[in-house]
């Protein structure tokens, strides 16, 4: 059963205080009001749990929520195929030099995690909650462990994009306390690990159903360690999820990203953490009456690159360039006999979507998609088509942050980097490939028999398995290949991609620099 992020008028009133009159243009609007900490908010178990739901609701904002798949548009997987007014300046991040004055997406990716962080701090530090009636010490430890997991999640986004960032380990007691210098990324990573290790020690080792659990924290810690190239540590943490956790692969790949699947135990067993929505009561974007179904399914916002399409193997397990099954006699046959995940991830040129009434959806009614084009299909609820603004509230697919297939592939990568190929590495990859309905051949161990050869195979498998879920930019950055791969590509209109090495860390927004004199600009953007 889904957790509801919006529950009552009382909750909304509390959140106005708890999250400080959210407004995207003011630095202090990201901070809880200092006076709130002295109130009696969260003096009962019901109020504590409602307050925690308020913290979780921060995940629904922008790139922490349903917009997260759009991060693949800042990679070699896809591009933003519609007007620039929504999710502004996504394409510009790769087509224009980054500057401190660039607005839109970069600002959202910086500001929203801090809103979540400061809400987490407020919850963790609230003294009324510690004294709340009918809440045991053990229960309070679990609640705070959830908040510390969420804080780690937010800081991980920030440190991957900006490196050194301002670190608020607690809520400052004065206004001046908000204006801190950037902490070294090593200190930020250490704080993230501290939060996650605490969460691992307190959270239940159960399946995920809306609240972070032990496996959520272990999986995120594995990713954090992997990003720092702490191979052996990452492999150990991820192996514990595999051997001691309750998670397993879904029996239906496509259903992981649809509402009906996310409510089905045989599918949801793979989901380890997500941003949750609940249909008409709590849709993806109330303010502008939008969401993935409308933005992608009707307006064609996420357009996959052919470079992604061509990365899918043929069903014999060989790349197209080597397979006898590959037929390139016309523009449609090249998509035949491919890894089934291709058809489950994108709308193919020869494919016709069917709406909820059993009627075909004309490509002419999907903006920016021509007969030879492809479109993101993952997450699209075709049963609710045709998509219109009047039906925006039907957008309630949860956005998956972490799933068991990712854990298996992260384990394979970490173990291979730590000690080279072994049976456990091949087994982890093969489990993902052998999922029911996918049934791709196992890794050819005679061909991929060295660390270097298997490294590339694992990277290719990650790209295919996790396509259009928001991971690709971070993978390209941590593998340190973004500056090599991205400049070989561009938008379909011929605009080339730019990714100088300075782009591995982004500039701090000019308005942040002007507000906080303690900040030093990222090297290369001074």
């Amino acid at each position: 059963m889904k957790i509801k992020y919006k529950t009552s008028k009382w909750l909304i009133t509390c959140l106005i205080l708890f999250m400080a009159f959210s407004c995207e243009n003011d630095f202090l609007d990201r901070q809880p009001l200092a006076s709130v900490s002295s109130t009696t908010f969260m003096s009962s178990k019901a109020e504590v749990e409602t307050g925690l739901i308020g913290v979780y609701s921060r995940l629904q904002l922008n790139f922490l929520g349903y917009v997260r798949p759009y991060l693949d548009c800042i990679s070699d997987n896809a591009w933003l195929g519609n007007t620039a007014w929504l999710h502004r300046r996504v394409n510009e991040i790769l087509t224009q030099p980054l500057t401190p004055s660039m607005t839109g997406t970069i600002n959202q990716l910086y500001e929203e995690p801090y809103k979540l962080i400061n809400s987490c701090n407020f919850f963790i530090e609230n003294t009324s909650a510690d004294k709340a009636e009918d809440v045991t010490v053990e229960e309070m430890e679990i609640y705070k462990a959830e908040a510390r997991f969420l804080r780690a999640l937010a800081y991980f986004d920030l440190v991957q994009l900006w490196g050194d960032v301002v670190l608020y380990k607690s809520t400052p007691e004065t206004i001046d306390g908000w204006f801190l210098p950037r902490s070294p990324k090593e200190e930020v990573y250490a704080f993230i690990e501290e939060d996650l290790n605490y969460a691992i020690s307190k959270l239940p080792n159960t399946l995920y159903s809306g609240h972070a659990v032990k496996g959520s924290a272990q999986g995120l810690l594995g990713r954090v360690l992997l990003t720092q190239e702490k191979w052996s540590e990452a492999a150990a943490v991820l192996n514990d999820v595999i051997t001691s956790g309750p998670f397993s692969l879904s029996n239906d790949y496509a259903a992981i990203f649809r509402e009906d699947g996310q409510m089905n135990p045989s599918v949801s067993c793979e989901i380890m953490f997500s941003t949750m929505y609940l249909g008409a009561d709590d849709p993806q974007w109330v303010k502008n009456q939008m969401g993935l179904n409308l933005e992608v399914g009707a307006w064609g916002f996420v357009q996959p690159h052919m470079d992604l399409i061509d990365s899918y193997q043929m069903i014999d397990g060989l790349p197209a360039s080597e397979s006898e099954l590959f037929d390139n006699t016309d523009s449609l046959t090249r998509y035949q006999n491919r890894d089934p995940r291709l058809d489950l991830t994108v709308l193919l040129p020869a494919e016709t979507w069917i709406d909820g009434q059993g009627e075909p959806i004309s490509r002419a009614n999907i903006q920016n998609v021509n007969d030879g084009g492809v479109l993101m299909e993952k997450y699209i609820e075709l049963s609710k088509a045709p998509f219109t603004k009047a039906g925006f509230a039907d957008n309630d697919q949860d956005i998956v942050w972490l799933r068991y297939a990712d854990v298996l592939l992260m384990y394979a990568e970490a173990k291979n980097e730590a000690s080279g190929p072994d049976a456990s590495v091949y087994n982890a990859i093969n489990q993902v490939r052998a999922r029911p309905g996918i049934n791709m051949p196992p890794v050819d161990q005679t061909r991929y028999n060295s660390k270097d050869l298997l490294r590339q195979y694992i990277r290719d498998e990650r790209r295919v398995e996790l396509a259009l879920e928001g991971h690709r930019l971070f993978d390209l950055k941590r593998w340190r290949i973004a500056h090599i791969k991205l400049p070989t590509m561009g938008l379909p209109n011929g605009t080339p991609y730019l990714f100088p090495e300075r782009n591995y860390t982004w500039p701090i927004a000019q308005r942040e620099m002007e507000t906080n004199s303690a900040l030093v600009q990222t090297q290369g953007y001074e």
Side-chain angles (χ1 to χ4, degrees):
M1 182 176 179
K2 291 187 180 183
I3 179 176
K4 290 184 67 172
Y5 287 155
K6 294 185 179 178
T7 57
S8 66
K9 184 176 180 180
W10 176 83
L11 170 59
I12 294 172
T13 302
C14 290
L15 293 184
I16 290 175
L17 294 175
F18 187 48
M19 298 178 181
F21 309 107
S22 183
C23 172
E24 69 177 26
N25 292 320
D26 190 336
F27 175 88
L28 291 180
D29 285 338
R30 296 200 301 274
Q31 330 305 337
L33 297 177
S35 62
V36 176
S37 61
S38 62
T39 71
T40 58
F41 177 60
M42 297 198 298
S43 60
S44 69
K45 185 174 183 177
E47 291 181 357
V48 171
E49 291 182 341
T50 300
L52 183 59
I53 290 173
V55 179
Y56 273 98
S57 72
R58 281 297 200 192
L59 290 170
Q60 296 182 329
L61 299 170
N62 293 305
F63 290 91
L64 298 179
Y66 90 89
V67 186
R68 197 156 189 88
Y70 286 74
L71 286 175
D72 268 34
C73 295
I74 315 175
S75 79
D76 53 353
N77 275 359
W79 55 286
L80 185 66
N82 206 297
T83 55
W85 64 271
L86 190 61
H87 316 311
R88 292 172 297 158
R89 295 177 176 81
V90 170
N91 288 339
E92 286 83 347
I93 291 174
L94 291 182
T95 59
Q96 298 179 8
L98 298 187
T99 68
S101 60
M102 186 174 284
T103 58
T105 293
I106 288 183
N107 286 353
Q108 292 170 357
L109 284 164
Y110 187 85
E111 294 171 358
E112 303 306 337
Y114 275 116
K115 293 178 183 178
L116 173 57
I117 288 164
N118 291 308
S119 293
C120 290
N121 284 342
F122 179 89
F123 181 88
I124 293 166
E125 298 160 8
N126 189 281
T127 56
S128 296
D130 290 329
K131 303 172 185 177
E133 59 189 41
D134 63 7
V135 180
T136 67
V137 173
E138 292 76 16
E139 287 173 331
M140 199 65 223
E141 287 178 339
I142 291 174
Y143 297 147
K144 291 188 176 184
E146 291 180 55
R148 291 183 68 167
F149 167 82
L150 294 172
R151 183 169 66 180
L153 193 79
Y155 269 123
F156 188 41
D157 261 16
L158 288 168
V159 74
Q160 288 179 97
L161 295 172
W162 279 275
D164 302 347
V165 294
V166 179
L167 187 60
Y168 298 108
K169 295 184 177 182
S170 60
T171 304
E173 297 181 357
T174 66
I175 292 296
D176 289 342
W178 292 109
F179 303 108
L180 301 177
R182 300 166 73 173
S183 295
K185 65 180 181 180
E186 294 79 12
E187 184 178 341
V188 180
Y189 274 116
F191 188 60
I192 292 170
E193 291 181 33
E194 180 183 325
D195 270 352
L196 291 176
N197 280 316
Y198 178 87
I200 290 168
S201 72
K202 302 297 182 181
L203 293 175
N205 190 28
T206 60
L207 287 170
Y208 169 74
S209 60
H211 289 267
V213 294
K214 180 179 180 180
S216 311
Q218 287 176 305
L220 182 58
L221 179 58
R223 191 180 288 168
V224 168
L225 296 169
L226 201 68
T227 301
Q228 298 174 85
E229 299 185 353
K230 297 180 178 180
W231 309 121
S232 296
E233 293 179 54
V237 171
L238 295 164
N239 186 59
D240 192 44
V241 178
I242 295 169
T243 58
S244 304
F247 298 94
S248 58
L249 291 170
S250 162
N251 61 8
D252 186 334
Y253 180 81
I256 297 169
F257 311 99
R258 296 196 306 258
E259 176 193 0
D260 55 349
Q262 292 169 347
M263 301 294 286
N264 184 339
S266 66
V267 174
S268 62
C269 57
E270 180 166 338
I271 300 173
M272 301 175 67
F273 193 73
S274 64
T275 295
M276 304 193 84
Y277 298 92
L278 194 61
D281 293 328
D282 195 14
Q284 290 176 352
W285 195 6
V286 176
K287 180 180 179 181
N288 282 346
Q289 299 182 342
M290 296 180 191
L292 280 179
N293 285 336
L294 187 62
E295 295 174 24
V296 177
W299 295 344
F301 274 27
V302 179
Q303 302 273 336
H305 279 298
M306 288 305 302
D307 192 79
L308 170 63
I309 306 305
D310 290 340
S311 69
Y312 286 79
Q313 296 175 350
M314 308 303 290
I315 56 174
D316 57 9
L318 294 174
S321 60
E322 300 178 22
S323 175
E324 294 181 356
L325 297 175
F326 182 61
D327 181 355
N328 197 27
T329 55
D330 60 47
S331 61
L332 300 181
T333 55
R334 66 183 298 162
Y335 302 100
Q336 297 174 358
N337 297 313
R338 292 274 188 168
D339 181 331
R341 287 173 291 188
L342 174 59
D343 187 28
L344 300 175
T345 301
V346 305
L347 170 70
L348 295 173
E351 181 181 4
T352 299
W353 278 348
I354 304 298
D355 68 20
Q357 287 73 50
E359 297 296 325
I361 299 175
S362 170
R363 284 175 178 265
N365 294 330
I366 304 175
Q367 297 180 29
N368 299 305
V369 180
N370 55 41
D371 287 340
V374 293
L375 180 69
M376 172 178 165
E377 182 172 318
K378 188 176 282 188
Y379 281 115
I380 306 305
E381 294 272 14
L382 293 176
S383 64
K384 298 181 179 180
F387 305 123
T388 65
K389 289 205 73 168
F392 87 96
D394 286 337
N395 285 265
D396 59 356
Q397 310 93 314
D398 300 335
I399 304 304
V400 180
W401 278 77
L402 177 68
R403 54 190 179 92
Y404 187 61
D406 189 8
V407 165
L408 289 168
L409 294 177
M410 286 193 293
Y411 169 78
E413 180 179 345
K415 185 65 174 176
N416 182 59
E417 295 294 344
S419 54
D422 66 16
S424 70
V425 175
Y426 292 119
N427 181 56
I429 303 169
N430 290 337
Q431 284 186 59
V432 176
R433 293 173 62 81
R435 182 200 304 272
I438 305 303
N439 300 315
M440 285 294 288
V443 185
D444 184 344
Q445 297 185 30
T446 60
R447 177 174 181 174
Y448 300 98
N449 58 4
S450 70
K451 179 188 294 187
D452 290 344
L453 291 172
L454 195 57
R455 175 188 297 125
Q456 188 58 51
Y457 191 97
I458 293 169
R459 291 180 179 183
D460 292 342
E461 188 67 21
R462 275 190 67 81
R463 185 182 191 186
V464 166
E465 174 67 23
L466 303 172
L468 308 182
E469 295 178 41
H471 298 290
R472 183 65 174 173
L473 172 63
F474 297 117
D475 281 348
L476 292 174
K477 283 167 55 66
R478 68 184 179 84
W479 294 331
R480 202 73 186 183
I481 62 172
H483 70 290
I484 299 170
K485 179 65 185 293
L486 292 175
T488 69
M489 301 183 60
L491 296 177
N493 66 7
T495 304
Y497 280 170
L498 307 173
F499 201 97
E501 291 197 56
R502 74 171 189 169
N503 282 21
Y504 280 102
T505 49
W506 285 359
I508 298 292
Q510 187 60 38
R511 67 181 184 185
E512 299 287 339
M513 298 293 297
E514 293 170 355
T515 302
N516 182 2
S517 62
L519 292 176
V520 174
Q521 186 56 269
T522 305
Q523 185 175 359
Y525 300 97
E526 299 90 343

